[in-house]
Amino acid sequence: MTVLVVEDEIKVAALLKAGLQEHGYKVETCGDGNTALQRASRERFDAVILDIMLPGRDGLSVLRRLREDGNTVPVLLLTARGDLPERIAGLNLGADDYLPKPFSVLELVARLGAVLRRQQGTGLTILHCGDLSVNLVTKEVLRGAARVELTPREFSLLACLLRTPGKAVTRVELIQSVWGYQFDPGTNFVDVAVQRLRRKIDDPFPRKIIQTVRGVGYALHADP
Ligand code: CA
């Protein structure tokens, strides 16, 4: 886990760096808003700890630009104690949490851990399409409240289709992603596998979500 700490007060930055390193984080630091924006845009960080009062560009402006650019890196803001408008502005701009100064490093580490767990726990763990939900970690598959049991291969096939709901996935893409072949062996085994999957995912239910895209492959649609 690599964290970018953006803080112009050298003492505070050093304290943060030491505390985070002690808890197993790799830490990069920078002391002004423009460098922070550049680095957070070009490099991959697991989180950014962002002071608001910074030389150059302030923290709220860095955050605004990151979110405008579609950057979803978790951001924890360091705010002045009692500055409610600033905190509200930060949360509205897409901050994941804030911590009023002065703070304890232990609290910061705890907040950061919570932000990272939230980030990992959302979006990518459970994929949805209509009333279908697939948990990529527990491998639980539900249609509405009904549990569906799949083989590991059927599960990968479904997960592969679910990553781009509404978009056709070609047979070759499925072969590569699910079976790991770099070529189309020219049999109809993808179609046979999808047929088996349909028997479990679609046949028992009134709404069908696996669509055949003629001449291309398959797609999942919530509303066919
Ligand atoms: Ca500052």
Side-chain angles (χ1 to χ4, degrees):
M1 289 279 177
T2 308
V3 176
L4 178 64
V5 169
V6 187
E7 168 60 87
D8 57 314
E9 288 164 73
I10 292 167
K11 271 189 181 167
V12 179
L15 188 75
L16 278 172
K17 185 170 182 173
L20 288 165
Q21 281 176 337
E22 211 171 292
H23 287 82
Y25 292 97
K26 282 195 208 142
V27 180
E28 298 281 322
T29 54
C30 76
D32 74 271
N34 288 311
T35 311
L37 180 58
Q38 261 179 22
R39 294 200 59 182
S41 304
R42 290 181 193 163
E43 300 167 51
R44 209 190 108 28
F45 294 103
D46 294 293
V48 178
I49 293 172
L50 185 58
D51 188 27
I52 290 186
M53 294 290 283
L54 290 170
R57 180 189 279 277
D58 72 42
L60 289 178
S61 159
V62 173
L63 175 62
R64 181 184 298 113
R65 275 294 300 277
L66 285 175
R67 296 303 188 237
E68 280 171 1
D69 295 344
N71 190 325
T72 57
V73 63
V75 172
L76 199 155
L77 284 176
L78 303 179
T79 67
R81 182 171 293 281
D83 197 341
L84 187 62
E86 197 170 70
R87 296 204 301 262
I88 292 172
L91 292 172
N92 282 336
L93 287 172
D96 295 89
D97 201 356
Y98 62 85
L99 202 55
K101 284 179 165 184
F103 51 84
S104 89
V105 171
L106 276 182
E107 183 176 8
L108 179 111
V109 168
R111 296 277 192 109
L112 178 63
V115 163
L116 290 169
R117 280 195 300 279
R118 273 210 301 278
Q119 166 98 358
Q120 286 159 359
T122 53
L124 291 177
T125 310
I126 301 181
L127 302 178
H128 294 276
C129 181
D131 67 349
L132 170 73
S133 81
V134 173
N135 187 316
L136 297 176
V137 176
T138 64
K139 313 278 186 215
E140 187 177 54
V141 178
L142 297 170
R143 279 220 53 185
R147 218 190 155 116
V148 182
E149 298 293 338
L150 298 180
T151 66
R153 177 106 336 136
E154 289 162 351
F155 184 88
S156 344
L157 183 57
L158 181 63
C160 183
L161 292 169
L162 247 181
R163 286 197 190 99
T164 52
K167 280 181 69 181
V169 183
T170 67
R171 286 184 175 77
V172 173
E173 284 167 340
L174 288 171
I175 289 166
Q176 285 173 354
S177 155
V178 179
W179 286 268
Y181 301 154
Q182 295 305 310
F183 56 92
D184 181 351
T187 62
N188 68 340
F189 72 79
V190 173
D191 305 284
V192 172
V194 171
Q195 222 168 26
R196 274 200 305 270
L197 182 61
R198 271 187 168 137
R199 248 174 253 146
K200 295 181 175 178
I201 285 293
D202 270 347
D203 290 357
F205 305 98
R207 296 170 83 105
K208 314 302 176 198
I209 58 175
I210 302 176
Q211 307 288 301
T212 305
V213 183
R214 214 172 285 277
V216 182
Y218 295 93
L220 290 191
H221 280 281
D223 297 299

